[in-house]
Amino acid sequence: MEEKPFPAWSWSVEQCLKEYNVKLERGLSSHEVEKRREKYGWNELVKEKGKPLWRLVLEQFDDVLVKILLVAALISFVLAYLHGSESGEAVFEAYVEPLVIVLILVLNAIVGVWQETNAERALEALKEMQCESAKVLRGFYVPDLPARELVPGDIVELRVGDKVPADMRVASLKTSTLRVEQSSLTGESMPVIKSTNPVFMDDCELQAKECMVFSGTTVANGSCLCIVVSIGMNTEIGKIQAQIHEASLEENSTPLKKKLDEFGGRLTTAIGLVCLVVWIINYKYFLTWDVVDGWPTNFQFSLEKCTYYFKIAVALAVAAIPEGLPAVITTCLALGTRKMAQKNVIVRKLPSVETLGCTTVICSDKTGTLTTNQMSVTDFFTLGGKTSASRVFHVEGTTYNPKDGGIVDWTYYNMDANLQALAEICAICNDAGIFSNGALFRATGLPTEAALKVLVEKMGVPDMKARNKIRDTQLAAEYSIDPITVKLRCCEWWMKRSRRIATLEFDRVRKSMSVIVRELNGHNRLLVKGAVESVLERTSQVQLADGSIVPIDEPCRQLLLLKLHEMSSNGLRCLGMAFKDDLGEFSDYYAESHPAHKKLLDPANYSGIESDLVFVGVVGLRDPPREEVHKAIEDCRDAGIRVMVITGDNKSTAEAICREIRLFSDSNDLRGKSFTGKEFMSLPSRQQMEILSKPGGRVFSRAEPKHKQEIVRMLKEAGEIVAMTGDGVNDAPALKLADIGISMGIAGTEVAKEASDMVLADDNFSSIVSAVAEGRSIYNNMKAFIRYMISSNVGEVISIFLTAALGIPECLIPVQLLWVNLVTDGPPATALGFNPADVDIMQKPPRKSNDPLINSWVLFRYMVIGSYVGIATVGIFVLWYTQASFMGIDLSSDGHTLVTLSQLRTWGECPTWENFTATPFSAGSHLITFSNPCDYFSLGKVKAVTLSLSVLVAIEMFNSLNALSEDNSLLTMPPWRNPWLLVAMSVSFGLHFLILYIPLLADVFGIVPLSLNEWFLVILVSAPVVLIDEILKFVGRRLRQTTRKQKMA
């Protein structure tokens, strides 16, 4: 049962306890729990009913091309069976064709079902994010209650490292601070501080609900008691599951799939028409009648002849359908995925490779994609020799690697007393650590604190002897067996000099944390770091460069605040550093047994201890943009791709980063270009569409999952092809809904990866741009081989049509056509997938998703080529029967009988011819003989059929050279630019020789070996196809030049 919406975040703890009729110190009774379970159900995500396997299998056959093939296979089975019944034996060769077609369809279905089941694993990954047990009060303390048994009103205890089991209202803190890592849900880069104070807004974003903890997030530090507010599908993570399921229902076909379906529809119509025409042309052979008194009588119907022309119609269907196309497309996409993997893009769903090529909008997350997701210090400043002078130091490097960059114009000798105090505070007032995972450096603890430790390593130490020793140990560490833990030697040096004896934890009131340390001289010192304004309020003195301490005056305070404003406006997160030597009753503090220790137990005393501070300096940190992103944004601009940044971070930080990566220039007015998620969603839908459709970048900050999903949906409705990046659970619905969902390999959650189409191995935005270029190249190559295969099929259709139109014997049988379509055409078509990319591929605008696969000029070209293929294939068949020689090549040396063209066209009337004889002729080592002379046109056509098949294979090999480039001549794009094509042509010819010269295979395919003379004839008839297409390409180039000149004029 659904819960009544209840804004617990805007109610006080007392009101919440009253609402749920529960006491914080006791929890719910078992009777109350049972009542609530009946009302609210279990705390678990509901599994949507998946499609049954039989439905998934059937859906794979819901495709136009597949349906045509199914019908063709069925008819072939029937004809093979009838043939077997007539001859009294089952001939295996007759069943080869339908068996091969069915095998293709079964393999296609297996791949499709596997992809479908793989795609829905995102919902399972969400379940793994749910907590398994919880610490609950139910009259008594239950340390490990299964989390699914929680009900609204339960009192739950959370401790450091716990995964939150449900959406809960924080009721009381057991420590001074509570931080929760909720970046996977909200996209915030830092752990969020939680409190018990209500947020007086009934409708506010997740990030603002500071008194709520959400299911699936993790407690970073502190502990607390909470009241369960929402369970199961009513939690934020449950809502995300519902959104993922909703998005999965909206998944559309890829642009290529749509085009192929459209092509399949047209092909069906064309096949139907051609088959009908063939039957109309040949009706006289199976249906005859006499005309008496102007009326037809004595109808005679020949089932044998009707079946024969029915077989021709089936051959037409087999010829017209490019059976090898699905296999070649899959192979090409698979090769594309390998290329993309080398560019750090792991493809999970094959069709997304092609879709990426027509991407028009990239919606990118900020943290970790455009930025490094590694906090680093970029600037720090301290006062100079007097209170009116300041000095700023710039720090290079964007990672947690201490050797990545350094401080500009820095020498260890200029580490004066002031800078030493700054280094000491950064090193000791700090709980973070750093470890390396191969080349990648990661932080343990808070990212800001890890960045401060890296700064200390870059600053070095003032003691020369210690410095040399550190350098030697660092050199030795490079050859260490265990490189995982990074030794921060400079930080260790400071920590040995100043031993930490007490910690005053951070809290939201004073916005600072501090430590009491025992110096080498035996005196205690307080080291403080926190929000600059907050530290300045409690500052009474400042330290100058030489270490002297002077009272702070108003001009000095204003100077510090001005510098702070400069740094903040550049998107830096600023921390103020200070210390205090006169600690009063804590001056001799040593351990918990000291009388003053009880003051440290109450956080209310911390502000008093941290008063009369000596201000040292300010450190500016940020999650810096990746170096390569600026170039990637430029490439997107050149390629006509718009970039939109959608982040959970705050508005000013997001805008500063967007300016830095040049998504916006410094002079750009961001009104109408930068919105918080809530601001954008409150606008009228018409205005929203206007904002999204205008050219240029956009940035959406404080975005929640539903905002991301809505933005993606609106862009798709506007006809955009959207690529969406994300790493958190909150990104999963939008990743699922986008045309291309791209998740992060390093920082990404399993939920995001499962919902995505591809994964960035290096979490880098520029890898997406490389992948788009690769996608465009793959699409161009796919277009090349689709055109190649279709032009070949047009040739086959025309050859069968001519056969039927002329009334000559069938010159190609279905199994031969199937062999050509699947095996012989396959290698060259696949090799066309290796065509090198155009140099200007990323200077062209994205192709429109409705752009035709084959435009009218290309269709005309391939009709001309197809006509030549048909004429050549049928022509050589006719030549063999009717001509003794052709262009000086002797055709009658094998001793076969020559007939006239009219005899060949009326071969069905052979039994009525007087004195017709057919002499035996040689075919390789065989002698072809006839018991009945009329068998010369059925059994005896074996040599003519072999010549036709060989011409078809040779022409298609030459035609693959034409497909190297849509427009460019072979003189400018020579075949060796793609050596794989030459290898593939050799393989295809090799396979053809195999079926010609191995007797068993030759019998299956109904062909015989050819002599060298006959091969010369085959090459002579096939080669002109290259010349014809070169002329057509030349005409096409001239037409385009003329059109361009007319437009310019």
Side-chain angles (χ1 to χ4, degrees), residues 666-715:
D666 292 340
S667 59
N668 262 24
D669 181 1
L670 297 190
R671 277 177 300 186
K673 295 182 179 180
S674 174
F675 302 88
T676 65
K678 203 172 169 188
E679 284 170 359
F680 184 71
M681 287 303 149
S682 65
L683 297 172
S685 56
R686 188 178 169 187
Q687 197 177 342
Q688 288 174 340
M689 291 301 276
E690 276 176 20
I691 289 163
L692 291 176
S693 58
K694 282 178 184 172
R698 299 285 177 275
V699 59
F700 301 95
S701 46
R702 289 290 182 195
E704 290 184 36
K706 58 185 178 187
H707 299 154
K708 295 184 179 187
Q709 204 174 353
E710 273 307 307
I711 290 167
V712 170
R713 185 179 281 110
M714 281 187 266
L715 286 166

Side-chain angles (χ1 to χ4, degrees), residues 467-519:
R467 195 159 59 244
N468 292 335
K469 189 178 177 184
I470 288 167
R471 190 178 63 239
D472 294 340
T473 53
Q474 282 173 341
L475 285 169
E478 286 181 14
Y479 301 99
S480 155
I481 300 166
D482 175 29
I484 292 176
T485 308
V486 179
K487 296 287 184 187
L488 302 171
R489 308 283 178 185
C490 298
C491 291
E492 286 173 5
W493 185 81
W494 284 109
M495 284 188 274
K496 282 175 188 171
R497 287 169 59 87
S498 305
R499 187 171 59 87
R500 185 164 153 173
I501 53 177
T503 303
L504 283 68
E505 283 187 45
F506 181 94
D507 68 47
R508 297 179 67 83
V509 179
R510 68 188 215 287
K511 296 180 182 174
S512 61
M513 68 93 59
S514 57
V515 292
I516 299 172
V517 296
R518 176 66 57 90
E519 303 275 296

Side-chain angles (χ1 to χ4, degrees), residues 744-962:
M744 304 297 119
I746 300 168
T749 56
E750 280 308 305
V751 183
K753 287 177 192 173
E754 290 292 347
S756 65
D757 302 291
M758 48 182 68
V759 181
L760 293 185
D762 59 352
D763 290 11
N764 196 332
F765 181 83
S766 61
S767 297
I768 303 171
V769 182
S770 304
V772 169
E774 193 59 51
R776 288 184 175 191
S777 170
I778 288 166
Y779 179 75
N780 287 348
N781 293 346
M782 279 169 67
K783 243 178 28 169
F785 69 62
I786 289 168
R787 284 195 310 267
Y788 161 65
M789 292 189 91
I790 289 170
S791 71
S792 302
N793 284 56
V794 167
E796 291 166 20
V797 168
I798 288 172
S799 68
I800 292 168
F801 184 77
L802 282 173
T803 304
L806 292 170
I808 62 175
E810 187 182 15
C811 62
L812 290 168
I813 58 174
V815 72
Q816 292 168 348
L817 292 170
L818 203 63
W819 170 262
V820 170
N821 285 355
L822 279 175
V823 184
T824 320
D825 284 357
T830 307
L832 287 168
F834 288 97
N835 277 354
D838 295 339
V839 183
D840 61 345
I841 201 155
M842 287 300 277
Q843 267 81 55
K844 296 173 182 172
R847 71 176 195 279
K848 291 185 176 69
S849 56
N850 58 356
D851 277 359
L853 199 61
I854 299 170
N855 62 35
S856 51
W857 168 248
V858 173
L859 180 65
F860 170 76
R861 253 176 61 189
Y862 283 102
M863 287 303 290
V864 173
I865 296 291
S867 300
Y868 181 76
V869 173
I871 290 164
T873 308
V874 175
I876 201 164
F877 184 91
V878 172
L879 279 174
W880 186 81
Y881 268 107
T882 61
Q883 302 296 317
S885 67
F886 179 73
M887 293 187 75
I889 297 170
D890 185 10
L891 300 178
S892 58
S893 57
D894 57 6
H896 72 274
T897 304
L898 296 177
V899 296
T900 64
L901 181 60
S902 63
Q903 281 179 308
L904 187 63
R905 292 189 63 185
T906 55
W907 66 277
E909 298 168 13
C910 173
T912 63
W913 296 346
E914 291 180 12
N915 304 322
F916 177 72
T917 56
T919 55
F921 64 91
S922 60
S925 58
H926 300 282
L927 186 69
I928 311 294
T929 57
F930 316 101
S931 54
N932 178 356
C934 291
D935 286 348
Y936 181 50
F937 297 104
S938 52
L939 297 174
K941 70 177 181 179
V942 64
K943 175 69 76 73
V945 164
T946 306
L947 284 168
S948 282
L949 181 63
S950 299
V951 162
L952 183 63
V953 169
I955 277 190
E956 297 195 0
M957 292 309 101
F958 286 123
N959 197 21
S960 69
L961 296 176
N962 292 334

Side-chain angles (χ1 to χ4, degrees), residues 717-736:
E717 281 172 8
E720 306 284 1
I721 302 293
V722 185
M724 169 82 196
T725 76
D727 54 5
V729 180
N730 60 326
D731 298 319
L735 289 174
K736 194 82 177 155

Side-chain angles (χ1 to χ4, degrees), residues 1-22 24 28 36-37 39-44 134 136 138 147 149-158 164-172 195-196 198 202 206 209-215 225-239:
M1 181 175 167
E2 282 203 12
E3 300 167 47
K4 183 178 69 176
F6 164 48
W9 62 89
S10 66
W11 288 22
S12 69
V13 174
E14 290 73 25
Q15 283 175 299
C16 293
L17 290 168
K18 190 177 175 184
E19 173 74 18
Y20 285 116
N21 192 21
V22 65
L24 196 59
L28 296 171
R36 294 185 189 202
R37 177 144 318 118
K39 184 180 178 184
Y40 298 113
W42 297 94
N43 178 31
E44 58 188 0
V136 186
R138 284 193 175 166
E149 295 183 17
L150 288 175
V151 293
D154 260 325
I155 304 298
V156 175
E157 184 188 14
L158 290 177
V164 179
D167 286 6
M168 304 191 287
R169 170 72 159 87
V170 180
S172 77
S195 73
T196 58
D202 279 356
L206 287 183
K209 294 175 183 175
E210 293 173 350
C211 57
M212 297 287 293
V213 289
F214 302 104
S215 179
L225 285 177
C226 302
I227 310 160
V228 174
V229 174
S230 298
I231 61 168
M233 293 301 288
N234 290 302
T235 60
E236 291 299 329
I237 204 170
K239 290 172 189 171

Side-chain angles (χ1 to χ4, degrees), residues 309-329:
Y309 285 103
F310 195 60
K311 280 177 78 177
I312 285 185
V314 172
L316 261 175
V318 172
I321 303 164
E323 290 90 351
L325 193 58
V328 176
I329 286 176

